[in-house]
């Protein structure tokens, strides 16, 4: 299960000064007005994250779509064979060394972070309508320096953390952490995906025959599968690491109970 113990407010922030009151609020059942309004609130949040998730998943298609929309007659073969050799080589090196890793990481991390938050939001929508969850808070907010966010003096807030942890919410919370907590393993996992996005744009605009199209499709699919395998491996590593850590710090109250609930 995910541990939120490092996610505490910045000691110099207003959030830290209100920790005790927020802790009390998190353990206090929601009022009737809050129970009546939170389905709508979570629904709006879920719709926003669903749209953002769809956009991030579709980001790899932006390159071929952009090439097609700006220049329908664009040919990657002419781009490679018809230009200056030095410039083409420099561009390919720059793409492999810089663009592929950065874009691959962005494609993977943003999709993991946004889709997971969309799923968690819809989970809270369902829970907000169920009588068995009427007397408890559904989500909370934590703070950490280990997550991607805007540049701040203090720690970054991470919302939509589940208060009641189940296998379902634990899985999607771990997926969310894979996206929002930067790590070398996710960066490495994104490289094949970034390369696949460039290859798709290349062979779609390269006049190849049926056999060539099949070969490029198989290569692209293999790269995508490689990314999936690496992400699954990192997910399992983090989960196993949290379980071991949980045994060492058994009895520590998770910060999700200490943070602000809603």
């Amino acid at each position: 299960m995910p541990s939120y113990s490092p996610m505490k407010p910045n000691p110099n922030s207003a959030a830290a000064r209100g920790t005790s009151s927020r802790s009390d609020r998190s353990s206090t059942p929601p009022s009737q007005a809050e129970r009546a309004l939170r389905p709508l609130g979570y629904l709006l949040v879920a719709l926003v994250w669903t749209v953002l998730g769809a956009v991030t998943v579709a980001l790899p298609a932006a390159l071929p779509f952009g090439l097609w929309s700006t220049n329908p007659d664009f040919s990657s073969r002419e781009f490679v064979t018809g230009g200056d050799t030095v410039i083409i080589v420099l561009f390919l090196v720059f793409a492999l060394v810089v663009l592929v890793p950065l874009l691959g990481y962005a494609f993977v991390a943003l999709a993991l972070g946004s889709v997971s938050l969309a799923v968690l939001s819809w989970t809270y929508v369902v829970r907000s309508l169920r009588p068995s969850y009427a007397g408890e808070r559904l989500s909370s907010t934590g703070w950490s320096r280990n997550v991607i966010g805007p540049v701040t003096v203090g720690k970054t807030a991470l919302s939509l953390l589940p208060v009641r942890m189940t296998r379902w919410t634990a899985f999607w919370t771990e997926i969310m952490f894979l996206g929002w907590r930067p790590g070398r393993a996710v960066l490495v996992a994104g490289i094949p995906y970034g390369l696949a996005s460039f290859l798709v744009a290349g062979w779609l605009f390269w006049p190849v025959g049926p056999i060539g199209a099949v070969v490029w499709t198989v290569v692209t699919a293999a790269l995508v599968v490689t990314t999936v395998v690496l992400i699954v491996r990192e997910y399992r590593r983090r989960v196993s690491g949290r379980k071991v850590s949980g045994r060492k710090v058994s009895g520590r109250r998770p910060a999700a109970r200490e943070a602000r609930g809603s």
Side-chain angles (χ1 to χ4, degrees), residues 1 174 237-248:
M1 295 294 181
E174 289 290 357
R237 186 193 68 81
R238 292 195 184 190
V239 170
S240 62
R242 292 186 188 281
K243 289 180 179 179
V244 173
S245 176
R247 294 191 187 100
K248 293 181 180 179

Side-chain angles (χ1 to χ4, degrees), residues 76-88:
S76 54
R77 172 180 290 179
E78 294 180 0
F79 175 78
V80 173
T81 60
D84 186 89
T85 303
V86 176
I87 295 178
I88 297 300

Side-chain angles (χ1 to χ4, degrees), residues 18-245:
T19 298
S20 59
S21 61
R22 289 183 175 184
S23 177
D24 295 339
R25 183 175 185 271
S26 180
S27 59
T28 302
S31 64
Q32 291 184 354
E34 289 173 325
R35 289 199 299 266
L37 293 176
R38 68 183 183 179
L40 177 60
Y42 280 120
L43 177 61
L44 294 177
V45 173
L47 292 175
V48 170
W49 278 113
T50 299
V51 172
L52 292 176
V55 171
T56 57
V57 171
L59 276 178
L63 178 60
F65 178 78
L67 291 174
W68 174 80
S69 60
T70 56
N71 185 9
D73 298 325
F74 175 80
S75 171
S76 54
R77 172 180 290 179
E78 294 180 0
F79 175 78
V80 173
T81 60
D84 186 89
T85 303
V86 176
I87 295 178
I88 297 300
V89 171
L90 291 177
F91 171 78
L92 292 178
V93 171
F94 176 76
L96 290 175
V97 175
V98 179
L99 294 182
V100 166
L102 290 182
L103 289 180
Y105 176 77
F107 293 157
V108 172
L110 291 177
L112 291 172
S114 58
V115 172
S116 58
L117 285 173
V119 173
L120 286 173
S121 299
W122 285 110
T123 300
Y124 302 143
V125 171
V126 175
R127 288 185 174 184
S128 66
L129 299 175
R130 294 178 58 182
S132 58
Y133 288 88
E136 63 185 73
R137 304 285 175 178
L138 302 181
S139 65
S140 63
T141 299
W143 290 261
S144 175
R145 293 186 184 275
N146 299 323
V147 297
I148 299 175
V151 179
T152 59
V153 176
K155 299 181 180 181
T156 301
L158 189 63
S159 300
L160 296 177
L161 300 174
V163 172
R164 186 194 294 192
M165 190 64 68
T166 61
R167 289 186 177 182
W168 173 259
T169 55
F171 171 77
W172 288 106
T173 303
E174 289 290 357
I175 295 298
M176 176 181 65
F177 284 160
L178 282 174
W180 295 117
R181 283 185 174 175
R184 183 174 58 183
V186 179
L187 173 63
V188 173
I191 292 177
Y193 195 68
L195 182 58
S197 65
F198 274 87
L199 289 179
V200 168
W203 72 262
L204 281 179
F205 295 97
W206 192 295
V208 297
I211 298 178
V214 171
V215 172
W216 280 113
T217 301
V218 171
V219 172
T220 302
L223 291 172
V224 174
V225 170
T226 301
T227 292
V228 173
V229 171
L230 293 176
I231 289 296
V232 171
R233 181 181 300 176
E234 174 62 9
Y235 168 84
R236 291 178 175 176
R237 186 193 68 81
R238 292 195 184 190
V239 170
S240 62
R242 292 186 188 281
K243 289 180 179 179
V244 173
S245 176

